[in-house]
Amino acid sequence: MHDVDQTYLAAAESDITPLNIALGTIGAIAFVVAWGIFFRGALRMVRIIAQGQSAKDRWLPFIPRAAEVVVEFLAHTKMIKNRTVGIAHWFVMVGFLLGMVLWFEALPQTFDPHFHWPVIGSSPIYHLVDEILGIATFVGILVLIVIRQVKHPRNPALFSRFAGSKFLPAYTIEAIVFFEGLGMIMVKAGKIAMTGESDPVTDFFTRHVAELLPNSPTMVTVFAFIKLMSGVMFLILVGSNLTWGVAWHRFSAFFNIYFKRELGSRRALGAAKEMVSNGKVLTMENTDPDVDNLGAGKIEDFSWKGWLDFTTCTECGRCQSQCPAWNTGKPLSPKLLIMGLRDHGYAKAPYLLAGGRTDTAGEQIGLVNKDGTVDEAALEKIPAEARAEAERALVGPAGEDGALGGVIDPEVLWSCTTCGACVEQCPVDIEHVDHIVDMRRYQVLIESEFPHELAGLFKNLENKGNPWGQSSSQRTAWIDEMDIDIPVYGQDVESFDGFEYLFWVGCAGAFEDRAKKTTKAVAELLDVAAVNFLVLGRARPAPVTPPAARATSSCSRCSRSRTSSSSTRSSTASPRSSARSS
């Protein structure tokens, strides 16, 4: 054993040349600098995300949330819907995570081409994992590169999901991953060519590549240096570009999945997100319009989870490809909306980090002197670009003659049908609809800006208590059209006692002709099944999410609300589905 160690040391010493020392030194310096840049960028990103509002409900329960991360990570439950892309991405993902062990190995290999990790480096399992990771990473990224080119938006007829995505970051990351995978293969093949030792099981591919290579320790050093520098470039570029979601999602996606609102099988919307201001859930009783943020009127009005959403966007375009608005020629792209919010937020970040804040009237309340006047000196220290972003309206028309204009165009905002297809498709669980609804809330409640088509709906809700403007006396008129007795709470009975179910009809089921057919059919089925049920009376107004409305483009939301009492279960009627089309 002692003789073997001496032989290895002698071989290593003979192969360490001035080139090894030069490349190793350069690599070591670059390695340290790259990690410094990366951690500096990551720390700044955390500080920027923290500018968002509180979201206390996203931390617990821990075990179900952690389990969700593990399932989505290992099974790729969202990505695998497109099998080719899903499998290729899984290979690249595993190659990136486990390949870090091999990447760290490249640094000492630039000094000593014979180097391998002590204990594990000579084991057959390590060699086999090295073999599989190199091939999987190389093949996986090649597949993804080809797919991006085949579906490139240069051909308008394709209606590509990549339309609007930023290609420089994507191409850069693809190139880095390509050279990383190639480096895994070539370093191993070079070492086999240098030593002449291989195993048909653990080196089943690289042993054949080695037959094409010379016995050259210098070549192994060069391959290791290229492999090392590919990771170094990744760290430097990513740490310097915080809006490169195509790279940052490798780290932030785990957190974004953990903190998502709906867990388990409820992949899409669930109930509408509650209106929250500074961590407080707003109700009709506790809302103060002078203090509370009613929706999102500025980028800092979004929660930190919203900022994490914007940061994590990979620009893959799956949300865009499934969006009914985008696919029918509307101006909305969920992907471009999230990208716009992200770019605006990070451009405005220097202003926010410096303490800049404005009230609802647009007056500076953050950078002020003790006498209440604006601290002009502090404002001047903020980059002009950040100050310009701070003055932009979150929702507004595009600027003219070089002016910035609004971040999100009103037509884009109101094109959303809130169907949730974007949320369902997003592989990193971005909650597009929550952010759209929050912006709509602010536009309706504070700015009184909304499409004129909604004016009649809001007026009907205010005056008549339902979107159709029908008299409350007609709410139970559908019962008169039936041959069965249906007790009405507040009219026929004064208590829920003795009844098993409350049949919640909703506005659509009570007033809309097509939905009433479904209401009556459900009532007949309940009667045939001998279910003891009742309905609410005429005085019930349409339930509206406090303090005004969810401001969706569909009035069917009023039929989604549910009620319950201590002794009564609520059976929500199927008119909900009919109401969606009304």
Side-chain angles (χ1 to χ4, degrees):
M1 184 68 181
H2 180 73
D3 293 339
V4 173
D5 291 341
Q6 292 298 323
T7 303
Y8 171 81
L9 290 173
E13 289 175 0
S14 63
D15 290 334
I16 297 178
T17 66
L19 178 63
N20 292 96
I21 297 174
L23 293 182
T25 303
I26 294 172
I29 295 173
F31 181 87
V32 173
V33 171
W35 277 110
I37 293 174
F38 175 80
F39 281 119
R40 184 192 64 180
L43 179 60
R44 181 174 176 81
M45 176 177 288
V46 171
R47 292 179 61 210
I48 291 173
I49 292 173
Q51 299 305 305
Q53 301 291 314
S54 173
K56 301 176 182 178
D57 60 327
R58 300 305 182 102
W59 295 89
L60 298 174
F62 173 77
I63 293 179
R65 289 183 177 277
E68 192 82 9
V69 174
V70 173
V71 170
E72 287 203 28
F73 164 64
L74 293 179
H76 254 38
T77 51
K78 297 288 189 75
M79 296 287 295
I80 206 64
K81 292 177 181 179
N82 184 319
R83 291 188 179 180
T84 302
V85 175
I87 293 172
H89 187 274
W90 193 88
F91 284 160
V92 173
M93 175 196 70
V94 174
F96 172 77
L97 294 175
L98 297 183
M100 291 182 68
V101 178
L102 301 170
W103 178 70
F104 280 108
E105 191 180 45
L107 177 57
Q109 282 174 343
T110 57
F111 288 100
D112 176 11
H114 291 272
F115 178 85
H116 57 70
W117 293 122
V119 183
I120 64 171
S122 58
S123 67
I125 295 178
Y126 184 82
H127 279 262
L128 181 60
V129 171
D130 187 357
E131 189 85 359
I132 294 174
L133 286 179
I135 297 172
T137 304
F138 184 74
V139 173
I141 196 62
L142 274 182
V143 171
L144 296 180
I145 289 173
V146 170
I147 290 174
R148 187 180 294 273
Q149 294 306 310
V150 169
K151 297 187 177 182
H152 196 285
R154 66 173 63 94
N155 181 0
L158 290 178
F159 221 52
S160 171
R161 63 184 174 92
F162 296 117
S165 298
K166 298 179 180 179
F167 283 90
L168 177 60
Y171 289 157
T172 302
I173 299 304
E174 286 173 348
I176 289 173
V177 175
F178 175 85
F179 281 107
E180 183 67 21
L182 185 63
M184 292 183 196
I185 295 172
M186 298 308 293
V187 168
K188 187 177 183 184
K191 292 182 71 174
I192 292 174
M194 181 179 63
T195 62
E197 298 175 359
S198 65
D199 185 282
V201 176
T202 61
D203 312 314
F204 59 88
F205 176 73
T206 51
R207 64 197 300 260
H208 297 294
V209 178
E211 295 174 356
L212 306 175
L213 302 176
N215 178 356
S216 173
T218 300
M219 177 185 65
V220 176
T221 297
V222 172
F223 285 156
F225 182 76
I226 294 174
K227 177 181 173 183
L228 174 67
M229 294 308 294
S230 67
V232 165
M233 291 303 299
F234 174 85
L235 294 173
I236 292 175
L237 291 172
V238 171
S240 304
N241 297 277
L242 302 188
T243 58
W244 281 20
V246 69
W248 277 108
H249 82 278
R250 296 167 177 239
F251 310 98
S252 61
F254 298 101
F255 300 98
N256 213 52
I257 294 171
Y258 177 87
F259 291 121
K260 69 179 183 178
R261 185 160 62 88
E262 296 292 339
L263 299 177
S265 59
R266 300 176 67 181
R267 298 290 182 185
L269 292 178
K273 173 180 171 291
E274 295 175 313
M275 191 180 301
V276 179
S277 177
N278 297 313
K280 178 182 71 174
V281 177
L282 299 182
T283 65
M284 292 289 287
E285 290 74 27
N286 69 1
T287 299
D288 183 351
D290 295 327
V291 177
D292 295 318
N293 297 318
L294 304 184
K298 301 184 292 291
I299 193 69
E300 58 267 33
D301 292 340
F302 291 104
S303 71
W304 58 258
K305 174 55 172 67
W307 283 75
L308 184 59
D309 276 353
F310 310 151
T311 301
T312 308
C313 179
T314 69
E315 305 179 23
C316 67
R318 284 172 180 80
C319 57
Q320 180 172 287
S321 68
Q322 299 300 314
C323 178
W326 175 264
N327 282 294
T328 52
K330 305 298 189 302
L332 169 67
S333 162
K335 176 188 69 177
L336 298 180
L337 181 140
I338 295 296
M339 289 172 59
L341 293 173
R342 177 198 65 196
D343 293 345
H344 168 63
Y346 277 84
K348 186 178 178 179
Y351 169 83
L352 298 176
L353 292 173
R357 293 291 189 279
T358 57
D359 58 17
T360 54
E363 298 295 328
Q364 180 63 234
I365 59 174
L367 298 174
V368 294
N369 297 309
K370 293 181 179 180
D371 59 358
T373 60
V374 178
D375 189 345
E376 297 293 346
L379 279 174
E380 286 298 323
K381 295 179 181 179
I382 301 173
E385 296 80 1
R387 297 201 305 270
E389 287 289 338
E391 295 175 359
R392 295 181 71 183
L394 188 65
V395 177
E400 298 180 356
D401 300 326
L404 289 175
V407 179
I408 304 298
D409 191 277
E411 289 191 23
V412 170
L413 184 65
W414 291 99
S415 293
C416 178
T417 67
T418 65
C419 68
C422 50
V423 183
E424 173 70 23
Q425 288 293 321
C426 181
V428 292
D429 289 312
I430 292 172
E431 296 159 347
H432 314 69
V433 174
D434 287 356
H435 309 317
I436 290 173
V437 169
D438 273 340
M439 288 187 284
R440 286 179 172 181
R441 284 168 168 165
Y442 185 87
Q443 292 299 302
V444 172
L445 298 171
I446 302 300
E447 300 291 345
S448 295
E449 293 287 346
F450 46 82
H452 68 275
E453 293 89 348
L454 291 178
L457 181 145
F458 290 153
K459 184 177 181 180
N460 289 336
L461 284 172
E462 182 179 2
N463 295 333
K464 297 294 185 178
N466 64 82
W468 283 268
Q470 298 292 319
S471 170
S472 61
S473 63
Q474 298 299 310
R475 182 170 289 278
T476 57
W478 61 274
I479 298 177
D480 300 332
E481 303 171 11
M482 303 190 66
D483 298 328
I484 60 177
D485 292 329
I486 300 177
V488 179
Y489 178 77
Q491 179 177 328
D492 300 320
V493 296
E494 298 298 330
S495 171
F496 291 121
D497 293 340
F499 292 93
E500 185 179 11
Y501 284 96
L502 169 63
F503 178 22
W504 185 279
V505 177
C507 288
F511 296 116
E512 208 276 326
D513 290 337
R514 291 173 296 175
K516 283 198 295 184
K517 295 178 182 179
T518 306
T519 301
K520 291 186 282 187
V522 172
E524 289 177 358
L525 288 174
L526 292 173
D527 182 68
V528 171
V531 174
N532 193 12
F533 71 99
L534 79 166
V535 299
L536 293 184
R538 300 175 180 177
R540 188 193 69 81
V544 177
T545 302
R550 294 178 186 172
T552 70
S553 60
S554 170
C555 55
S556 65
R557 295 293 185 181
C558 66
S559 63
R560 286 191 173 187
S561 298
R562 293 188 291 271
T563 188
S564 61
S565 68
S566 58
S567 59
T568 305
R569 284 176 288 175
S570 174
S571 174
T572 306
S574 56
R576 289 185 297 173
S577 58
S578 298
R580 290 193 184 108
S581 62
S582 63

